[in-house]
Amino acid sequence: MSSRKRQTTPAATSQESTTTASSSKRRVVAIAPDADAVLRECRKLRDVMRSSSNETSDKASRVIPEGVPSSIVEVDELKAPEVLEGMESIALDIAQQVLSGKGFSMEIPSRAATNQLYVKEWDRIVLGGKRSSRSFLNVKESRKAAITLRVLQLIHAVLMKRIHITKRDLFYTDVKLFVDQAESDGVLDDVATMVGCTRSNLNVVASDKGLVVGRVQFVEDDDPIDCTRMGVGGKAIPPYIDKIENITSDAEFILLVEKEAAYMRMAEDRFYHRYPCIIITAKGQPDIATRMFLKRLKEELKIPVLGLVDSDPYGLKILSVYMSGSKNMSYDSSSLTTPDIKWLGLRPSDLDRYDLPDQCRLDMTENDIKTGKELLKEDFIQKNPEWMKELEIMVSD
C-alpha cells in the first residue's frame, strides 16, 4: 500500500441565498462579488474561442496527418436514408454469396486493443485499418455471424419505422440468440463500423445517465427546456441528441463534474447563479450521450470547459475519455471528443503545499497505483507534461 494520499470527492462550497419574490416567479440573483476576478481567465479563453476567424473546419481537421495509415476507420454522421442504403448494400452482398452456394462471410473492422491508434495531431484515439472476417460456414464464427445478421435486420426495421430503441430493448428482441447483452452491444458497434456511421445514427441508444443544470436553454423534440428551472437535480441528458436544437446560453464556462454528489451539491446551491455556468455530470465514466452533448455545447456556444475530477488516476482517466476518446468507441472519436478541457481542482502536488489534514486524504489502493502506472504509458497522457508529473506523484512510494 502506498503512503501517498489522494483527494476524495470534490466539494462545492458556494451557498445560494435566493428567495422567491412570489409563488410563481423567482427573483434574479446577482452574481458573486468576486465573480469578475474568478472568471477573468475563463473570459480570456472564451474570447479567444469566439474571436478566432480561422478555425479549422471539421472536414479539414480530419485530413490524415503524415505518418498515419490511410486505412484508419473514421465513421461519419449519416442521415437515415444513407444508413439504410449502407445496410441494404451489405444485405445484397450477403444474398449474392448465399445464392452462389458459398454461404456468407462479412469483412468487419477489427476493434481489438491492438488496432487502436493515438493520433497526436488530432489528440484522440482512432481505429486502425485491420479487418477480420466473420464467416457463417466457420464453426467458431457461425453464431457471431448469425447475431450480426440478426442485429442488421432489427436495426433496419427500427430505421424504417423512424423510432428509437434502447440497447436493452434490442437485446430482449431475441434473448435466445443473443444470450448476453454484451453480445448484441458489441455487434451493434460492429454494424456501425461496417456501415460507416455513428452508433447514434442506428437509432439504438443507452438509457439516460448524464445530468445538466444551469444557464442553458434548448428545444428538445419541439419542447422548450430551461435548465435553470428543472428542479434541484436538473435535467437528464437525453440519449437522442439529434432531437436537441436552438441551444442558447449566457454562461461563461461549462463545469464538467466527475461525481454526482458534487454535482448535486452545486445544483442545490444554485452555483450557476453565483458564477454563470452550465454544470454537467455523467456520474463517473461518461456515456455516449453526455460526451456528445458536451462536445456540442462547446462547439455551438464557444465557451471553455473546466473538468472537476478526483485527484486520483481514475479522475484523470475519466477526463482523458472526454478529451481523447475511449478505445471501445475509437471508430467514432471525432464526434465524441472535446479537446482542451482544463483540469480544475486539487492536484496531488497541492496536498502538501497547502498542508491538507489527513482526514481530507485517502491512501492510494493497489488498483489506484496500477491504473496510474498504466496511464503513464499512454500516448494521450504523455503528451501532457503536467499530467505526467501529477501521475508520477500519485504512484510514487
Side-chain angles (χ1 to χ4, degrees):
M1 180 75 68
S2 170
S3 61
R4 282 286 166 191
K5 307 285 185 177
R6 68 179 175 91
Q7 175 73 358
T8 58
T9 303
T13 58
S14 62
Q15 181 67 34
E16 169 63 64
S17 61
T18 306
T19 58
T20 55
S22 68
S23 60
S24 61
K25 187 175 181 181
R26 186 172 63 241
R27 72 177 175 84
V28 176
V29 180
I31 64 173
D34 64 346
D36 285 338
V38 172
L39 297 175
R40 190 171 294 123
E41 291 302 315
C42 285
R43 288 168 178 162
K44 287 180 182 177
L45 291 169
R46 178 202 63 190
D47 292 343
V48 168
M49 293 172 66
R50 292 182 177 178
S51 64
S52 177
S53 58
N54 297 316
E55 286 189 83
T56 305
S57 68
D58 182 62
K59 185 176 181 179
S61 69
R62 293 175 65 180
V63 173
I64 298 177
E66 184 177 352
V68 177
S70 60
S71 58
I72 61 170
V73 176
E74 285 264 273
V75 300
D76 293 308
E77 191 76 26
L78 301 181
K79 295 180 179 179
E82 295 173 306
V83 178
L84 285 168
E85 183 179 349
M87 297 178 72
E88 288 163 4
S89 176
I90 295 170
L92 179 61
D93 179 61
I94 290 173
Q96 289 174 337
Q97 292 181 60
V98 172
L99 290 173
S100 66
K102 300 177 182 178
F104 71 87
S105 66
M106 295 165 279
E107 289 292 320
I108 301 172
S110 171
R111 294 187 296 107
T114 54
N115 196 33
Q116 314 287 336
L117 305 173
Y118 172 72
V119 180
K120 184 177 180 180
E121 292 82 356
W122 292 342
D123 189 20
R124 55 185 169 85
I125 302 169
V126 300
L127 190 63
K130 295 179 182 177
R131 304 180 76 85
S132 60
S133 177
R134 193 169 293 170
S135 173
F136 187 71
L137 296 183
N138 185 314
V139 175
K140 293 182 179 179
E141 300 171 0
S142 59
R143 181 172 173 275
K144 198 66 173 284
I147 290 174
T148 305
L149 200 57
R150 179 64 169 146
V151 169
L152 276 165
Q153 178 191 19
L154 293 171
I155 295 174
H156 187 275
V158 166
L159 290 168
M160 289 295 291
K161 294 177 182 177
R162 299 181 182 181
I163 60 174
H164 290 76
I165 62 171
T166 66
K167 293 193 294 182
R168 194 68 176 168
D169 290 332
L170 182 70
F171 167 67
Y172 277 122
T173 306
D174 201 335
V175 177
K176 288 187 177 179
L177 176 62
F178 299 145
V179 180
D180 190 314
Q181 187 177 332
E183 294 271 16
S184 55
D185 286 356
V187 169
L188 190 63
D189 290 320
D190 290 337
V191 170
T193 61
M194 292 166 67
V195 177
C197 67
T198 66
R199 199 174 79 181
S200 59
N201 291 154
L202 300 177
N203 284 13
V204 181
V205 298
S207 300
D208 293 345
K209 183 184 178 188
L211 298 169
V212 58
V213 71
R215 298 164 82 125
V216 63
Q217 300 79 38
F218 51 84
V219 175
E220 180 187 344
D221 201 20
D222 296 329
D223 292 327
I225 302 295
D226 182 347
C227 291
T228 64
R229 298 177 179 274
M230 298 300 296
V232 174
K235 165 93 170 67
I237 296 174
Y240 320 116
I241 302 299
D242 56 315
K243 292 183 178 290
I244 292 177
E245 54 189 11
N246 300 332
I247 299 175
T248 60
S249 174
D250 64 349
E252 303 209 36
F253 64 95
I254 299 166
L255 186 58
L256 178 63
V257 183
E258 174 189 349
K259 294 290 180 63
E260 183 182 12
Y263 166 90
M264 292 302 297
R265 175 76 273 127
M266 287 184 280
E268 186 177 5
D269 288 345
R270 304 288 198 259
F271 178 83
Y272 48 85
H273 284 319
R274 296 288 184 170
Y275 300 94
C277 66
I278 303 165
I279 309 173
I280 291 176
T281 185
K283 307 175 188 176
Q285 282 291 341
D287 58 308
I288 289 177
T290 303
R291 291 164 65 185
M292 291 181 69
F293 185 64
L294 177 67
K295 179 181 178 69
R296 188 165 170 193
L297 284 182
K298 184 184 179 186
E299 288 185 344
E300 295 192 19
L301 300 177
K302 292 182 170 54
I303 54 178
V305 181
L306 310 181
L308 184 61
V309 298
D310 279 358
S311 182
D312 65 8
Y314 290 102
L316 280 187
K317 187 174 183 179
I318 287 170
L319 202 54
S320 71
V321 170
Y322 282 109
M323 293 175 63
S324 301
S326 64
K327 292 182 178 179
N328 285 341
M329 296 294 296
S330 59
Y331 67 89
D332 194 13
S333 63
S334 63
S335 66
L336 295 175
T337 52
T338 303
D340 199 28
I341 298 176
K342 305 301 182 184
W343 180 12
L344 182 70
L346 199 68
R347 304 190 180 197
S349 58
D350 294 329
L351 299 181
D352 293 331
R353 180 184 305 162
Y354 297 111
D355 195 24
L356 262 72
D358 286 346
Q359 59 262 37
C360 295
R361 310 185 187 196
L362 288 176
D363 288 324
M364 291 280 286
T365 66
E366 291 182 5
N367 281 337
D368 290 334
I369 295 171
K370 179 182 177 182
T371 300
K373 289 180 177 179
E374 289 173 350
L375 284 174
L376 285 169
K377 299 175 184 177
E378 297 287 358
D379 292 333
F380 54 84
I381 295 292
Q382 292 176 0
K383 70 178 176 60
N384 193 322
E386 287 298 317
W387 286 27
M388 289 288 290
K389 183 182 73 173
E390 299 298 339
L391 273 170
E392 286 166 356
I393 293 174
M394 292 180 196
V395 302
S396 61
D397 294 329

